[in-house]
């Protein structure tokens, strides 16, 4: 397939909202023992549950390294496609392609990936297989792609409304380990060119202690154009309180690319989630990988739900607010089934349901 030197905007392609129809979803199989406890065994069961829930609504493909292929094939049901793609870890949202469409064709944007901050504050080393992964997904999907040489981005650091608006955080996109050679204006204009946007809304920070430098997809998500979800807490003693207030102020002050005010649904956060001694002891200590220590607070939130055709897949975290989250999501998405998956094992790996998935938009061919 071709690597294009033009840009999606100049070619009339745009990034659709996640709530628009999907042709399918990609996931990567977890296995690295310095991120996932017990060699990924616990996380693998959770990934199977997520994949099965999504597969009720749209086709799912799971990418897996050679040495785990047989195990993944055995653990996943037959209707889920398993393909071998070399990878360093299992974050399809972040190292996979961001798909853009002109309504009849899709193409991939193959961002440069540096493990959430490269040698400044990246989360593991090396990351070369993950950086090569988007191209391989585009080959499997038979779509041409745009490579953003010299521009680093993870899919979880952006959310779009499909009508010209993107929401992101300064904490992530302006962090030293991403594109510190570019000004904020240059970053904006690259995003506008590659995703076909008119307006970028900059939140300041994401979820407290999120190791991605505050990915937006753990704190905010669009429901549809003009309507969104924001993670929320009323606990003034929690550092997260000020962050949520700040996000709301910005969202209330701003309008979107079409000049609309964005209606916000507040999604109550769970109580702080900490790593237990047993969980910490199950993770291999490796120099260059972020350690997982007993008592560390995880970036727990429900805002990282994933929208599929006809349903919402959201994390259950064993908290009293799990049911409130389901209720708020039903109010925001009345026409979709709300499905909760016990996602503690994904959270223990520093991630969430949204960042392990990537949708392929549906097009009329
Ligand atoms: O987007 C994400 N939340 C991925 C986090 C990667 C964590 C690696 N330990």
């Amino acid at each position: 397939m071709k690597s294009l030197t033009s840009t999606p905007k100049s070619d009339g392609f745009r990034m659709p909202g996640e709530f628009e129809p999907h042709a399918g979803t990609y996931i990567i199989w977890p296995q690295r023992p310095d991120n996932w406890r017990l060699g990924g065994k616990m996380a693998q069961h959770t990934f199977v549950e997520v994949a099965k829930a999504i597969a009720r609504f749209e086709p799912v493909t799971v990418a897996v390294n050679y040495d785990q292929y047989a195990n993944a094939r055995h653990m996943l049901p037959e209707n889920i496609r398993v393909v071998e793609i070399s990878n360093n870890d299992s974050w399809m949202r972040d190292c996979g392609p961001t798909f853009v469409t002109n309504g009849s064709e899709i193409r991939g944007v193959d961002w440069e990936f540096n493990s959430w901050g490269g040698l400044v504050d990246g989360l593991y080393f090396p990351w070369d297989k993950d950086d090569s992964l988007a191209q391989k997904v585009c080959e499997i999907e038979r779509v041409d792609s745009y490579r953003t040489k010299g521009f680093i981005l993870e899919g979880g650091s952006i959310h779009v409304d499909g009508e010209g608006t993107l929401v992101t955080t300064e904490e992530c996109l302006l962090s030293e380990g991403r594109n510190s050679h570019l000004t904020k204006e240059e970053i904006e204009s690259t995003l506008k060119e590659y995703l076909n946007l008119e307006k970028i809304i900059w939140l300041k920070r994401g979820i407290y202690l999120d190791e991605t430098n505050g990915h937006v997809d753990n704190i905010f998500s669009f429901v549809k154009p003009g309507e969104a979800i924001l993670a929320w807490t009323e606990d003034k003693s929690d550092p997260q309180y000020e962050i949520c207030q700040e996000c709301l102020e910005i969202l209330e002050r701003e309008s979107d690319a079409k000049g609309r005010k964005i209606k916000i649904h507040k999604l109550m956060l769970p109580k702080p989630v900490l790593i237990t001694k047993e969980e910490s002891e199950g993770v291999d200590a490796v120099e260059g990988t972020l350690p997982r220590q007993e008592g560390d607070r995880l970036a727990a939130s429900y805002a990282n739900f994933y929208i599929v055709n006809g349903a919402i897949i959201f994390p259950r975290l064993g908290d009293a607010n799990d049911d409130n989250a389901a209720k708020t999501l039903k109010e925001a998405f009345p026409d979709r089934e709300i499905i909760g998956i016990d996602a503690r094992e994904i959270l223990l790996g520093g991630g969430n349901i949204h960042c392990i998935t990537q949708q392929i938009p549906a097009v009329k061919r």
Side-chain angles (χ1 to χ4, degrees), residues 53-78:
I54 299 169
R56 285 183 49 212
F57 301 91
E58 58 193 56
V60 175
T61 302
V62 177
V64 56
N65 281 315
Y66 169 78
D67 57 328
Q68 274 288 314
Y69 186 89
N71 180 44
R73 184 58 287 168
H74 171 73
M75 288 179 68
L76 289 157
E78 276 172 19

Side-chain angles (χ1 to χ4, degrees), residues 325-337:
K327 192 163 161 278
T328 306
L329 290 169
K330 191 66 193 172
E331 282 158 13
F333 296 97
D335 301 332
R336 295 183 198 251
E337 192 177 332

Side-chain angles (χ1 to χ4, degrees), residues 43 57 117 199 226 269 320 340:
F57 301 91
K199 172 85 188 251
L269 285 156

Side-chain angles (χ1 to χ4, degrees), residues 307-351:
I307 309 174
V308 297
N309 296 335
I312 301 293
I313 315 294
F314 85 99
R316 295 189 71 90
L317 298 166
D319 186 271
N321 268 343
D322 287 2
D323 290 339
N324 287 338
K327 192 163 161 278
T328 306
L329 290 169
K330 191 66 193 172
E331 282 158 13
F333 296 97
D335 301 332
R336 295 183 198 251
E337 192 177 332
I338 310 296
I339 301 171
I341 304 283
D342 180 349
R344 184 176 178 93
E345 293 297 333
I346 307 179
L347 185 58
L348 285 169

Side-chain angles (χ1 to χ4, degrees), residues 10 17 23 53 110 124 130 136 153 181 189 195 223 324 329 340-341 352 359 363:
S10 65
D110 175 6
Y124 49 74
D130 284 348
K136 296 172 184 174
L153 191 102
H181 58 296
S189 79
L195 298 172
V223 171
N324 287 338
L329 290 169
I341 304 283
N352 57 60
Q359 72 277 7
V363 286

